[in-house]
Amino acid sequence: MPFIGASADGILSCSCHEDILIEIKCVEAFKSEASNYAAQICYCYMQNGVWKLRRENAYNYQIQINLGIYKLNGAILIIFTKKGIHPVHAQFDEDLF
């Protein structure tokens, strides 16, 4: 029987903003690279000066499932390397969920 599972790395709660999902990724192959380089190669692209998560990406699917399960509208994907972190914002995509 097929199944699907999801668990968020965290949920950031603040009294002045909506709750937001936190997902952290460290790709072994890029752990010694700059975090923005790792983001660009693996997950993201820049459009009009804004970093966006590629829609057809396994991590985007994971984030979308978590957003749907937790009924949240937004997430921050944090790309972690030994040289820094690179945050990328993502919004809930109802068509994917």
Side-chain angles (χ1 to χ4, degrees):
M1 172 194 284
F3 67 93
I4 193 164
S7 62
D9 288 329
I11 297 176
L12 180 63
S13 296
C14 172
S15 61
C16 57
H17 295 90
E18 279 187 285
D19 289 353
I20 192 162
L21 181 99
I22 304 295
E23 190 62 43
I24 303 168
K25 297 295 178 197
C26 177
V27 178
E28 182 69 22
F30 297 103
K31 69 181 180 184
S32 296
E33 302 291 342
S35 56
N36 62 338
Y37 175 76
Q40 182 179 3
I41 296 299
C42 297
Y43 318 104
C44 310
Y45 65 98
M46 186 175 281
Q47 183 179 42
N48 300 324
V50 176
W51 283 95
K52 296 188 174 196
L53 187 59
R54 291 185 187 133
R55 189 170 198 258
E56 303 300 324
N57 179 290
Y59 295 133
N60 185 43
Y61 296 134
Q62 179 185 3
I63 288 170
Q64 294 302 320
I65 290 167
N66 276 313
L67 289 172
I69 289 170
Y70 290 105
K71 297 184 178 9
L72 298 174
N73 292 317
I76 300 174
L77 170 63
I78 298 172
I79 310 300
F80 173 82
T81 70
K82 290 181 178 182
K83 293 188 177 179
I85 63 169
H86 186 82
V88 178
H89 293 262
Q91 295 298 312
F92 180 60
D93 184 343
E94 193 171 323
D95 292 337
L96 275 180
F97 185 69

